Amino acid sequence: AILLKRHEQYGLAMYVAGLAAECMLRAYHARDQPFDERHDVAELFRRCDGDRFGTKARQRLHGPIQTVHLLWQNRYRYFSEDRLRSHLRSVRQHERGVRGKADFVKVRCSELVDACVRIVTVGEERWTNN
């Protein structure tokens, strides 16, 4: 996702980043919870095994999870950049925090990739320390 973002492939970068975060959260799926095939990152986070994931990790990821929930959809894999741009406008993500003539797709991509990297990093830390 980071490399795709550097190469200005924002739509694919956003899709791949969200997918990585989703996969990491699925790795912590509570065994007593039924499998949920939807791509609802907030719900996956809620269903993570608390003992394996830990309270501190949950606290560190509250903001990144909200960002991913707001900005990522599994269907981005089908979006052209024009379609992504139109979608972000339709969900009113084209103005918030975008200054001057900045490209809002690039801004949202950076926010999403950063949030997903955080989720994957924290998940990996927890995995190797357990």
Side-chain angles (χ1 to χ4, degrees):
I2 293 167
L3 185 59
L4 288 164
K5 183 180 83 168
R6 277 190 210 136
H7 288 284
E8 299 181 357
Q9 299 293 312
Y10 302 125
L12 188 55
M14 290 175 78
Y15 168 68
V16 169
L19 185 62
E22 178 184 0
C23 288
M24 182 55 76
L25 294 173
R26 287 190 186 281
Y28 286 94
H29 185 264
R31 292 183 179 101
D32 64 339
Q33 296 286 324
F35 180 78
D36 186 350
E37 68 278 349
R38 294 174 299 144
H39 303 280
D40 184 342
V41 173
E43 182 64 19
L44 289 171
F45 183 61
R46 189 183 71 72
R47 290 178 176 223
C48 283
D49 185 333
D51 292 335
R52 289 176 46 221
F53 204 67
T55 304
K56 287 183 182 180
R58 282 188 176 280
Q59 291 169 344
R60 290 171 59 194
L61 293 181
H62 183 73
I65 291 294
Q66 286 182 327
T67 298
V68 176
H69 183 70
L70 180 67
L71 294 176
W72 183 72
Q73 293 186 12
N74 184 55
R75 64 189 181 136
Y76 284 174
R77 64 185 169 189
Y78 304 115
F79 282 20
S80 66
E81 187 150 333
D82 288 339
R83 176 68 180 105
L84 178 62
R85 189 173 297 283
S86 175
H87 168 73
L88 290 173
R89 275 192 187 104
S90 75
V91 294
R92 303 184 154 299
Q93 290 301 312
H94 63 291
E95 294 175 337
R96 177 185 55 83
V98 179
R99 295 198 171 104
K101 296 186 183 221
D103 181 356
F104 69 87
V105 173
K106 182 178 181 179
V107 171
R108 294 299 167 250
C109 179
S110 292
E111 287 176 349
L112 180 61
V113 169
D114 291 349
C116 292
V117 166
R118 180 83 167 152
I119 292 166
V120 170
T121 301
V122 170
E124 187 176 25
E125 288 169 0
R126 295 292 305 146
W127 198 268
T128 56
N129 292 330
N130 277 339

